[in-house]
Amino acid sequence: MASNSSNPYSAYVEQLEAQVYKTPSEGFKWRLVALYILNGLAVIGAITQFTLLWIDAKRKRNESLWLFRLVQRPQGRFIVTNAKVAHCIMSVVCLAIGMGLYWELWKVYIDHGSQAMLGAWQICPALAFYTHGWLVSWGQLQAYLLTPDQINKHMLTPMVANTLFVGGGILMGAGLIASCVTLTHYSREIWDHYVVVANGLKTLENNFNGTVDIPGLFALQPEIQAISRTSQTLKTATFGVTPFIVGGILLVTVVNFGSIALTRIVRGQIKQKFEQLQKSESQWTQESIVSIPADDRRRSSAGQSGGRRESANGTGTRSRNNIRNMSRDGIGSQVAQARQIMLLQKAERDLVVISAMVGSVAFVATGLTVWSIVQQTLNRTFAWPVVEFGLLSFNWLYAGVLAITYCFFCHNQWVNLTPPASANDSKSRQNSMQTSAVMVSLQHPSSSDNDQSTEKVGGDFTGSQPSSWERKGSTSSALDPLAPAIKPAHTPITIPAGAGSRSTTPEPTSQPEEGSTRILWGNHGQNMPPPPPSPKANEPINAFFEQSSGQAKRKRLHKRSATGFLPEKGVQLKEVFPGDAEVWKDALHIASQDLQSDVPSISASIVKHITTTLAKAPFNVDDLSTYQATALSLRDRLGKKWQDTQTFYTEKNPKRVYYFSLEFLMGKSLDNALLNLGQKDEYRESVSKLGFQLEDLLDVERDAGLGNGGLGRLAACYLDSMSTTNLPAWGYGLRYQYGIFRQLLSPDGAQLEVPDPWLDHSNPWEMARLDASVEVKFYGEAIRGEGGKGPGAWTGGLDVLAVPYDLPIPGYKTDNVNNIRLYSSKPKKAFDLASFNQGDYLGSIREAEEAENITRVLYPNDNTLEGKVLRLKQQYFWTSASLADIIRRFLKLSLPWILFPDHVAIQLNDTHPTLELMRVLVDEEQQPWDTAWNIVTRTFGYTNHTVLPEALEKWPVPMVQHLLPRHMQLIFDINLNFLQEVEKKFPGDYAKMCCSHVFDRVAYLAIIGSHKVNGVAELHSGLVKEMMHDFVDFFGPDHFGNVTNGITARRWLLQCNPGLADLITSKLASDTWLTDLYRLKELVQFKDDPEFQKKWYEIKAQNKDRLATYIEKNLGITINRKGLFDCMTKRLHEYKRQTMAILAVIYRYLQLKKLSPQQRKNVVPRVSIFAGKAAPGYYIAKLTIQLINSVCKTVAADKDVSEALQVVFIPDYSVGLAEIIIPASDISEHISTAGTEASGTSNMKYCLNGGLLIGTQDGANLEIAEEVGDENVFFFGNLTPDVPALRKAHHFGEARHPPELTETINAIRSGLFGNPSVFEPLLSTISEDGDYYLVSDDFCSYLEAQKMVDQEYLDTPSWTKKSIHTVAHMGKFSSDRAILQYAEEIWNVEPLKVPPS
């Protein structure tokens, strides 16, 4: 809490918190994380060791996994402790308690949580470590006391030694338990008092009114005294138990280090006993071989030691009986010695590995823990660096000791069980085969001649196991005297393959190959055939038929890999063919003849598609079929250019731009493609000769339902400009089945939404790429990586297929054809036949419906939780599939990941996440966290389009955790890392940290995950910096920039206004202005030319007539073509203030009603044209549409004003409709509240077509005014800096509505325009709810601007001159300029022109 100099309690609160919450050293948090990881690894290791011990005990059937056991020895009965078992059990306990301690430290010192249990957690590790060491040491003491040849050398008798050790241990343990109870009790008591004091002080601080509350302070005095009294008691108790702790440590440490001396004695005994056994064994073996009949000896030397073959006269059986009898008499002492050695080996392993290392390290850690507790209890400075070093060192050593222990254990338990790979591995083994063959049955006198031996081919063993770990066979020698001399009873005996044997069971049918071995596991099992080999992953499924057919599999001549085909270096892609190259080349040459640009070739291509692709006869062809065939014919030509472009890019390997946008408002493609390819005249002639009109075919085409407003149209313009400027680029979006919606109007004028079936007649421009489909996962479970930064896992859940469709985007007068890849969601399992057969017909397609809903519509209504989930699904589905495609393309290059940003630039068109690339790099590509984040930030650029709250969307954390669990983990980790960086750069600035967290703010996540953030107009970019000032402070101002939006003149002048485009081309003597829009400035010299003005005016009149005809045909409203066409066409939103526009129309209507008929004739006739869609869940915007239509209906019915005023709302606004409306406008409305519109592009389109602008000083309006001059723009309203004060005045009820607005609202409420109650929620946003968008403040200024428009329009030459001047100064607002600015300042991408084919 920040201190307040005027509040005396603040200092007390800060002082109290500083005493209680000790600030840890820098990096303490991450060292705690390191301790967690080390503890976790150690726990896993300890559990693994215990599991191996359990397996060991199960195999040694004569032993059990005991912890304490009463043993009878010559000196009496002793309780023997199994040091290894005690070590394993207590390791798990100690490490678990250690993790609890670290968690408690985190809660206290990082999260500033309760300290009530801190004392208990701090002493518990000491108690656990002490118990651990005490038990292990007790086991070591028993091993020392009970060692053979050492019993009579002890200073104390075993009974006395055990009594002293147990008694001392219990005494020290009691001291530790007492300290644990004491610390727990008094720590909780101190914390309880502190909570009372802290709450009391905070209450006094909050209630401070300038006067100190003395009684309140006195009321807290008893609690403060109690804290001091309890702290003193705690100190005394701590000093009282300290001697017990130190004594216990010394006692156990002495035993631990004393046991090291025993290891030397044990090691010497092992060596001595082993040499004795070798000498005895060698002597006995020679005597045994002499007594074996020669026939059996030959068979033994041939390798038949494990068989049961007898000679004809039965000498084999007699020989073995003789040998068995000899073993009972002659080898008994050797067996006893072997058992003795095995016991000594176990003692050595326990003492060397566990005693000398683990015990010592454990008690050093105990001492460090106790010392830290004493220091903290004395209220001295808590020496975090020392304590941390001690604990961290202990954990590292502990983990190392465990690893060494496991290595010893695994070596001693498993290496000796591994049979040799071959009988010929060593010459020395062959020399001992005779001895091994004889000794195979010596150790089990109970075995009879009818026993069967277990045979197995291979390196593993099966069958029943022997009952003891006594050796049944041995090798000739052991080079290492400390190596294990006793092997388990099922240690394999190796005999050469091919040495036949006779057995009571049949031999397996499949014999081992030459050079392989048979391994016999004694005579306690049965002959087992070798298991069939496991099939390999690359084996065919139906291998039987492939092997039996006798035909070799045909070799493929060409194969496309998972990442795409790349030839060898130096080979051109055009020269690579799957089969016969000459056949391919001839076929391609013939196919290219059909793609010629002359009229006969075009006609033939159209007819071919009509008769083959569409399978229609000429007499049955209509406009739709001809349009489809024409589009397919043109797509063939685009496809060839697209192939050449992509092949050229692949060969040159340039850095590519990938433009991510959820919207691509493409409009109609046929006319645009014809213009860009320069083939409109040829196709017009061809279609005409076939009996159709090109204009009719253009009308048949439906707008692609891939966008809604200016955002999507901007993306479409940018893709067009990228192709025109020859930038290697791709667009990525979604293929919506029904677009956003088709807008209809109800009888009362309300908006109705119905599906837009734009794909009903298929889309001839798209090319499905089914082979490039990818899977996208939702839901499931996620596991964080190690330390939060390691590779994580994401399993389970629902997998959805992303099927790509490509749309070619041709450049204007260039051979470059770029691409938009749109993904459609398809189910991985389209139909559940089992559910269908059970009668659950809906359930059989439920999964398919859930998958397909993802790309069903654009921007589903998010007023419900399901809508929010679907929107998030759309974003992730699209980004995941798109990045998978980009990564696939990058992997073809076989380059390191650090070079990814040098080949890929991704631009986010609005607030879209960068998380998926981070997940792929960390989880799938195993990249280090910092490297992955560096790649991400260098790859992405982020374009912010508005500062409105809904654009800076927030995702509910539980929703993201449920839908994308792994990504939520990444968000938390990214947020944590970023806040740590903020803290380092701005230490102590917690306000900045609070404002910088990103875990639920998509825009913030896009900012920190991008290397550049740009606004889309100068004013807007400044507002972004102001709003994101914390990020500007962190990254610096260069992280933020501006790229003012632009539009393409090919679509928005050449295509939609061909008459004006032809006039401009004729005056400029070329059409190069279409790619260099700054050339329009040359028109300024003609603006005073009356002849040029006349032609200009006539073209405007023709466009107005075209629009009027459309309205009359589709809406039945007769339009006054001499009126001023006032257009406002954009999506409905409160900040765009269509509400203010219609209120001004109502006010105009009311004033007209007050005039006489003669006065009305002197008024400039006005045609107010509205168009746009409101989001389905945007109730206020939909009410605005209904009010516009109600006014339209009222005005149309009033014959008194029908000549002076007309109001029209054109439903289902689209790109195609905009191409009709925009060229016809005289004035266009761009009247958003100052500071709310980022840029706008409709203002640019209207001005480029000769319409003047009325608007506020917002967005790109300001920059347009800078270019065309303020005298050619009609500005009104308050400025951006005035907005906060005006909103504050409304909030506190200080604002007053002007009488003009009051009159207008009263007219609505009077019922003049229908049921007033319907519009009351809309009017309340202005009159009662604070008027957030300042309609009342700008209303009068808006009316004055409209009067100026009327006055200027009366002067036709002056108006026309303004129109020409405006068009001439629109060069800055070209999308070509914007794209080249992006390429230079953000993407670092160079143009790459495709050479003509």
Side-chain angles (χ1 to χ4, degrees):
M1 180 181 298
S3 61
N4 188 348
S5 59
S6 61
N7 193 331
Y9 299 107
S10 300
Y12 289 115
V13 173
E14 290 182 359
Q15 184 178 4
L16 184 63
E17 289 183 345
Q19 291 177 352
V20 175
Y21 296 114
K22 299 174 179 62
T23 303
S25 59
E26 185 178 357
F28 172 65
K29 182 189 302 183
W30 295 115
R31 284 191 282 275
L32 276 182
V33 173
L35 294 177
Y36 265 112
I37 297 172
L38 290 172
N39 269 280
L41 294 175
V43 168
I44 295 173
I47 294 175
T48 303
Q49 187 182 23
F50 186 82
T51 303
L52 294 175
L53 281 174
W54 181 80
I55 296 173
D56 185 18
K58 294 292 288 184
R59 287 178 177 162
K60 302 174 186 177
R61 298 186 179 182
N62 61 332
E63 298 183 10
S64 60
L65 195 64
W66 48 269
L67 181 56
F68 299 102
R69 185 170 62 173
L70 190 63
V71 180
Q72 179 69 42
R73 293 298 186 201
Q75 299 296 324
R77 291 179 177 268
F78 295 96
I79 299 178
V80 181
T81 304
N82 190 325
K84 189 178 295 183
V85 175
H87 166 63
C88 290
I89 295 175
M90 293 309 301
S91 292
V92 177
V93 174
C94 293
L95 292 167
I97 293 175
M99 296 189 77
L101 170 62
Y102 302 144
W103 175 244
E104 189 71 17
L105 291 175
W106 183 285
K107 291 193 300 181
V108 171
Y109 292 103
I110 304 301
D111 297 336
H112 286 188
S114 171
Q115 298 184 18
M117 295 302 296
L118 183 59
W121 279 111
Q122 287 176 328
I123 198 65
C124 278
L127 180 60
F129 289 139
Y130 173 79
T131 307
H132 180 189
W134 186 77
L135 284 174
V136 174
S137 300
W138 196 9
Q140 297 164 6
L141 182 63
Q142 306 310 309
Y144 183 77
L145 293 175
L146 302 179
T147 301
D149 302 329
Q150 294 291 320
I151 295 178
N152 298 323
K153 298 180 181 180
H154 300 310
M155 295 176 60
L156 300 174
T157 64
M159 186 63 68
V160 174
N162 275 283
T163 302
L164 290 177
F165 183 84
V166 173
I170 293 176
L171 183 61
M172 304 309 165
L176 280 172
I177 294 173
S179 64
C180 180
V181 173
T182 302
L183 280 174
T184 303
H185 172 73
Y186 288 115
S187 295
R188 178 177 290 276
E189 185 175 342
I190 290 174
W191 178 254
D192 291 341
H193 291 309
Y194 162 75
V195 170
V196 174
V197 174
N199 291 337
L201 285 176
K202 290 181 180 180
T203 301
L204 294 176
E205 179 186 16
N206 295 332
N207 297 334
F208 178 69
N209 56 3
T211 303
V212 178
D213 186 359
I214 301 299
L217 289 175
F218 275 108
L220 299 177
Q221 190 65 24
E223 298 293 334
I224 297 175
Q225 294 175 351
I227 293 176
S228 176
R229 184 172 57 254
T230 307
S231 300
Q232 187 62 35
T233 304
L234 184 59
K235 293 179 185 179
T236 304
T238 303
F239 278 111
V241 299
T242 300
F244 293 95
I245 300 173
V246 176
I249 293 174
L250 293 176
L251 175 66
V252 180
T253 304
V254 168
V255 174
N256 273 277
F257 282 95
S259 63
I260 298 177
L262 178 63
T263 60
R264 299 179 60 184
I265 300 173
V266 171
R267 188 177 293 270
Q269 290 183 350
I270 291 174
K271 185 175 182 180
Q272 180 181 0
K273 295 294 184 181
F274 193 90
E275 291 174 351
Q276 292 177 359
L277 179 61
Q278 281 187 314
K279 185 181 299 183
S280 300
E281 181 184 23
S282 176
Q283 180 180 1
W284 178 84
T285 301
Q286 294 176 1
E287 295 175 354
S288 301
I289 295 175
V290 172
S291 63
I292 300 176
D295 185 60
D296 280 355
R297 194 158 55 240
R298 285 193 299 271
R299 277 193 289 269
S300 297
S301 63
Q304 300 176 2
S305 59
R308 303 178 52 80
R309 178 172 303 205
E310 298 180 4
S311 61
N313 58 7
T315 57
T317 302
R318 287 194 299 270
S319 300
R320 279 189 294 276
N321 288 335
N322 293 335
I323 295 171
R324 185 178 295 118
N325 293 332
M326 292 173 61
S327 71
R328 293 173 182 172
D329 301 330
I331 200 68
S333 60
Q334 281 78 0
V335 172
Q337 291 174 343
R339 289 178 177 174
Q340 180 77 11
I341 292 176
M342 184 174 69
L343 293 175
L344 294 177
Q345 278 189 308
K346 290 183 178 180
E348 179 200 25
R349 189 185 312 149
D350 289 345
L351 292 173
V352 173
V353 178
I354 299 175
S355 305
M357 302 180 70
V358 177
S360 302
V361 174
F363 283 95
V364 170
T366 305
L368 287 172
T369 305
V370 173
W371 180 83
S372 66
I373 295 170
V374 173
Q375 292 295 315
Q376 188 175 10
T377 306
L378 293 175
N379 283 334
R380 297 178 182 174
T381 302
F382 196 26
W384 276 111
V386 178
V387 177
E388 287 182 69
F389 175 77
L391 293 177
L392 189 60
S393 300
F394 159 70
N395 278 275
W396 278 104
L397 290 173
Y398 201 90
V401 169
L402 285 174
I404 294 172
T405 305
Y406 310 146
C407 290
F408 269 83
F409 186 83
C410 292
H411 176 78
N412 290 322
Q413 298 296 336
W414 297 109
V415 172
N416 295 327
L417 297 181
T418 305
S422 172
N424 301 320
D425 280 350
S426 174
K427 297 288 185 181
S428 61
R429 291 181 181 270
Q430 295 179 0
N431 297 332
S432 64
M433 287 303 300
Q434 296 173 349
T435 304
S436 299
V438 174
M439 294 188 64
V440 70
S441 59
L442 292 182
Q443 303 302 317
H444 287 273
S446 59
S447 61
S448 65
D449 290 339
N450 294 327
D451 291 337
Q452 297 176 345
S453 63
T454 302
E455 282 190 285
K456 186 173 187 339
V457 176
D460 299 327
F461 63 89
T462 57
S464 60
Q465 299 177 351
S467 58
S468 72
W469 275 63
E470 299 172 2
R471 185 176 65 173
K472 298 180 67 179
S474 66
T475 58
S476 60
S477 64
L479 299 179
D480 183 3
L482 297 180
I486 304 300
K487 292 195 175 183
H490 52 272
T491 302
I493 300 172
T494 307
I495 63 175
S501 64
R502 185 179 63 187
S503 174
T504 56
T505 57
E507 290 286 335
T509 57
S510 58
Q511 298 294 332
E513 299 178 358
E514 182 178 357
S516 65
T517 63
R518 290 184 183 179
I519 300 173
L520 289 83
W521 300 100
N523 47 359
H524 293 273
Q526 297 178 351
N527 290 325
M528 301 295 293
S534 300
K536 297 180 180 179
N538 57 357
E539 285 193 5
I541 296 176
N542 202 348
F544 171 77
F545 291 102
E546 297 222 3
Q547 294 175 2
S548 62
S549 62
Q551 298 179 358
K553 185 177 180 181
R554 182 178 65 87
K555 181 181 179 180
R556 289 192 60 182
L557 299 176
H558 176 80
K559 181 179 179 181
R560 185 176 187 272
S561 67
T563 60
F565 173 76
L566 270 183
E568 297 180 359
K569 291 184 178 180
V571 180
Q572 292 187 356
L573 291 176
K574 292 183 178 181
E575 299 299 325
V576 178
F577 301 99
D580 191 322
E582 295 302 323
V583 174
W584 270 96
K585 290 179 180 180
D586 292 341
L588 288 174
H589 176 72
I590 296 173
S592 66
Q593 300 303 313
D594 296 336
L595 301 179
Q596 299 297 319
S597 299
D598 57 281
V599 173
S601 297
I602 292 174
S603 300
S605 175
I606 295 174
V607 170
K608 183 188 74 172
H609 281 294
I610 289 175
T611 57
T612 59
T613 307
L614 303 178
K616 285 196 172 186
F619 70 88
N620 196 29
V621 177
D622 55 8
D623 286 348
L624 176 61
S625 300
T626 307
Y627 156 72
Q628 291 176 325
T630 303
L632 291 171
S633 169
L634 191 58
R635 195 192 74 173
D636 291 344
R637 288 153 174 79
L638 282 176
K640 177 63 169 61
K641 289 180 176 289
W642 183 88
Q643 293 174 23
D644 293 341
T645 301
Q646 300 308 315
T647 300
F648 185 68
Y649 288 167
T650 301
E651 290 177 340
K652 295 299 182 180
N653 188 24
K655 183 177 183 179
R656 303 195 195 194
V657 178
Y658 298 97
Y659 198 81
F660 277 32
S661 179
L662 272 179
E663 296 184 45
F664 285 99
L665 198 56
M666 304 303 299
K668 298 180 179 181
S669 298
L670 178 57
D671 198 13
N672 186 70
L674 289 172
L675 289 172
N676 281 1
L677 293 180
Q679 297 183 6
K680 189 169 185 178
D681 293 337
E682 289 81 359
Y683 268 85
R684 185 191 303 276
E685 182 180 353
S686 176
V687 169
S688 177
K689 290 182 177 180
L690 292 175
F692 298 89
Q693 296 298 317
L694 182 60
E695 287 70 18
D696 295 335
L697 303 186
L698 296 177
D699 290 338
V700 169
E701 183 179 7
R702 299 197 60 162
D703 279 58
L706 300 172
N708 176 33
L711 185 74
R713 188 52 237 170
L714 177 72
C717 285
Y718 280 176
L719 262 295
D720 178 276
S721 289
M722 289 180 201
S723 295
T724 301
T725 57
N726 302 314
L727 289 180
W730 282 58
Y732 281 99
L734 292 181
R735 181 179 180 265
Y736 304 101
Q737 184 178 357
Y738 294 109
I740 184 166
F741 59 83
R742 185 182 178 192
Q743 185 188 52
L744 301 178
L745 299 177
S746 67
D748 60 354
Q751 171 181 287
L752 298 177
E753 302 96 17
V754 297
D756 178 17
W758 72 283
L759 290 173
D760 274 5
H761 298 294
S762 76
N763 180 12
W765 300 102
E766 67 184 13
M767 295 172 279
R769 305 293 191 188
L770 304 182
D771 60 324
S773 300
V774 296
E775 292 183 9
V776 180
K777 182 183 293 296
F778 297 99
Y779 308 109
E781 297 179 352
I783 301 175
R784 294 179 75 241
E786 181 178 351
K789 290 189 174 183
W794 186 13
T795 58
L798 173 68
D799 290 329
V800 178
L801 282 180
V803 181
Y805 292 79
D806 288 346
L807 291 178
I809 307 297
Y812 181 73
K813 290 190 175 181
T814 180
D815 288 304
N816 288 57
V817 176
N818 286 330
N819 188 70
I820 297 179
R821 177 154 286 183
L822 305 172
Y823 284 96
S824 179
S825 59
K826 300 294 181 183
K828 192 174 180 181
K829 180 181 179 183
F831 181 69
D832 187 354
L833 183 60
S835 298
F836 187 86
N837 289 337
Q838 293 175 1
D840 186 7
Y841 303 130
L842 294 179
S844 64
I845 60 173
R846 186 173 292 113
E847 183 176 329
E849 291 295 316
E850 182 178 359
E852 292 176 354
N853 279 341
I854 296 176
T855 55
R856 194 83 74 184
V857 298
L858 167 65
Y859 296 146
N861 187 354
D862 60 355
N863 288 346
T864 64
L865 177 61
E866 290 77 8
K868 290 182 173 66
V869 171
L870 185 54
R871 281 208 180 190
L872 181 56
K873 274 187 176 181
Q874 283 186 341
Q875 291 216 22
Y876 176 66
F877 173 82
W878 155 62
T879 54
S880 177
S882 302
L883 283 169
D885 192 56
I886 295 171
I887 290 171
R888 174 192 61 81
R889 197 169 294 113
F890 175 76
L891 291 177
K892 293 193 300 182
L893 306 178
S894 301
L895 295 175
W897 274 104
I898 196 66
L899 298 180
F900 184 80
D902 297 331
H903 291 78
V904 174
I906 301 177
Q907 188 66 29
L908 301 176
N909 189 32
D910 214 356
T911 52
H912 305 310
T914 60
L915 293 171
E916 177 64 5
L917 180 57
M918 189 67 179
R919 185 194 68 81
V920 172
L921 291 175
V922 173
D923 293 354
E924 297 180 9
E925 300 298 332
Q926 308 291 310
Q927 294 296 305
W929 179 277
D930 294 336
T931 301
W933 186 244
N934 175 266
I935 294 171
V936 169
T937 54
R938 290 169 53 211
T939 299
F940 284 97
Y942 163 47
T943 300
N944 178 280
H945 282 280
T946 181
V947 294
L948 294 179
E950 56 265 35
L952 305 178
E953 58 185 318
K954 294 185 178 182
W955 291 339
V957 172
M959 181 183 76
V960 181
Q961 286 178 322
H962 177 59
L963 187 65
L964 304 171
R966 177 62 182 136
H967 295 74
M968 194 68 246
Q969 293 174 351
L970 291 174
I971 291 174
F972 282 132
D973 293 335
I974 292 171
N975 181 64
L976 176 62
N977 295 333
F978 179 68
L979 291 183
Q980 288 175 340
E981 293 298 322
V982 173
E983 185 180 16
K984 289 180 181 179
K985 193 166 186 178
F986 306 100
D989 193 345
Y990 297 106
K992 190 175 292 292
M993 292 180 62
C994 291
C995 296
S996 302
H997 72 83
V998 302
F999 68 86
D1000 63 343
R1001 309 183 193 187
V1002 185
Y1004 290 3
L1005 193 59
I1007 289 173
I1008 70 170
S1010 304
H1011 67 276
K1012 193 75 170 180
V1013 179
N1014 71 279
V1016 290
E1018 290 181 0
L1019 175 64
H1020 168 249
S1021 297
L1023 292 174
V1024 169
K1025 289 184 179 180
E1026 182 180 334
M1027 185 181 68
M1028 308 292 183
H1029 61 89
D1030 291 316
F1031 294 98
V1032 175
D1033 294 341
F1034 181 82
F1035 290 107
D1038 291 341
H1039 191 75
F1040 296 81
N1042 173 67
V1043 181
T1044 301
N1045 284 345
I1047 59 173
T1048 170
R1050 276 84 62 182
R1051 167 78 71 168
W1052 294 111
L1053 190 50
L1054 177 62
Q1055 181 174 333
C1056 72
N1057 199 345
L1060 184 59
D1062 291 342
L1063 177 60
I1064 294 173
T1065 300
S1066 65
K1067 279 297 180 181
L1068 301 184
S1070 73
D1071 63 354
T1072 56
W1073 60 271
L1074 287 167
T1075 54
D1076 181 11
L1077 208 58
Y1078 281 106
R1079 282 205 62 202
L1080 291 177
K1081 282 189 177 181
E1082 300 175 23
L1083 293 175
V1084 174
Q1085 58 184 314
F1086 305 110
K1087 69 177 182 180
D1088 295 321
D1089 183 357
E1091 185 64 26
F1092 185 70
Q1093 289 181 3
K1094 179 181 178 182
K1095 291 180 180 179
W1096 193 278
Y1097 183 81
E1098 289 174 352
I1099 293 170
K1100 177 66 68 173
Q1102 293 170 6
N1103 291 327
K1104 292 170 70 172
D1105 181 71
R1106 181 177 62 163
L1107 174 59
T1109 302
Y1110 177 88
I1111 294 174
E1112 292 169 357
K1113 179 180 178 180
N1114 292 277
L1115 301 180
I1117 301 175
T1118 302
I1119 298 300
N1120 181 3
R1121 287 162 171 78
K1122 296 182 179 180
L1124 185 152
F1125 279 30
D1126 180 3
C1127 301
M1128 190 174 190
T1129 57
K1130 53 188 69 189
R1131 66 184 177 91
L1132 272 291
H1133 199 287
E1134 289 175 273
Y1135 86 86
K1136 294 181 180 290
R1137 298 203 293 193
Q1138 286 96 340
T1139 302
M1140 186 171 72
I1142 192 59
L1143 290 176
V1145 171
I1146 295 173
Y1147 181 78
R1148 187 184 187 90
Y1149 170 73
L1150 296 176
Q1151 302 312 306
L1152 286 173
K1153 291 292 291 181
K1154 297 176 182 179
L1155 299 177
S1156 64
Q1158 187 62 35
Q1159 290 175 322
R1160 294 190 194 110
K1161 292 181 180 180
N1162 297 326
V1163 175
V1164 176
R1166 181 75 69 104
V1167 180
S1168 295
I1169 300 171
F1170 295 87
K1173 296 179 180 180
Y1178 200 165
Y1179 179 60
I1180 297 299
K1182 294 173 74 171
L1183 280 182
T1184 302
I1185 293 176
Q1186 188 170 354
L1187 178 60
I1188 293 171
N1189 284 298
S1190 297
V1191 173
C1192 174
K1193 185 176 181 180
T1194 300
V1195 173
D1198 192 336
K1199 302 301 181 182
D1200 294 337
V1201 299
S1202 58
E1203 290 296 323
L1205 179 64
Q1206 292 179 301
V1207 184
V1208 178
F1209 183 89
I1210 306 177
D1212 204 29
Y1213 185 57
S1214 62
V1215 175
L1217 188 54
E1219 292 173 0
I1220 299 175
I1221 297 175
I1222 289 174
S1225 71
D1226 293 306
I1227 192 78
S1228 60
E1229 309 259 354
H1230 310 279
I1231 57 176
S1232 58
T1233 306
T1236 58
E1237 183 71 82
S1239 171
T1241 53
S1242 63
N1243 47 9
M1244 303 173 189
K1245 297 164 191 170
Y1246 278 107
C1247 290
L1248 184 61
N1249 282 271
L1252 301 189
L1253 182 151
I1254 181 173
T1256 53
Q1257 298 189 44
D1258 191 28
N1261 291 352
L1262 286 170
E1263 294 176 62
I1264 292 175
E1266 291 175 0
E1267 296 295 317
V1268 306
D1270 290 343
E1271 67 278 7
N1272 297 306
V1273 176
F1274 300 93
F1275 275 143
F1276 72 92
N1278 291 281
L1279 303 180
T1280 301
D1282 303 330
V1283 171
L1286 294 172
R1287 284 175 173 165
K1288 181 179 179 181
H1290 281 285
H1291 180 75
F1292 289 101
E1294 300 172 357
R1296 295 292 180 268
H1297 290 176
E1300 294 85 352
L1301 180 61
T1302 302
E1303 180 185 359
T1304 303
I1305 292 177
N1306 289 338
I1308 299 174
R1309 286 174 170 167
S1310 69
L1312 180 60
F1313 303 101
N1315 185 357
S1317 62
V1318 173
F1319 306 113
E1320 193 58 38
L1322 173 62
L1323 300 177
S1324 296
T1325 62
I1326 302 172
S1327 59
E1328 299 175 10
D1329 294 342
D1331 192 12
Y1332 185 79
Y1333 294 105
L1334 308 182
V1335 172
S1336 60
D1337 297 278
D1338 289 345
F1339 190 69
C1340 292
S1341 177
Y1342 179 50
L1343 295 179
E1344 290 298 322
Q1346 292 288 3
K1347 290 180 181 179
M1348 294 174 58
V1349 171
D1350 289 341
Q1351 294 172 0
E1352 290 289 342
Y1353 189 73
L1354 291 174
D1355 187 352
T1356 302
S1358 176
W1359 186 273
T1360 305
K1361 184 178 178 179
K1362 288 178 180 290
S1363 175
I1364 297 171
H1365 185 87
T1366 298
V1367 173
H1369 289 82
M1370 292 302 293
K1372 175 183 177 179
F1373 305 101
S1374 167
S1375 56
D1376 296 347
R1377 184 271 313 158
I1379 283 300
L1380 291 176
Q1381 186 179 351
Y1382 273 109
E1384 180 180 355
E1385 298 178 2
I1386 299 178
W1387 302 334
N1388 192 26
V1389 175
E1390 297 291 337
L1392 186 64
K1393 183 175 177 59
V1394 176
S1397 57

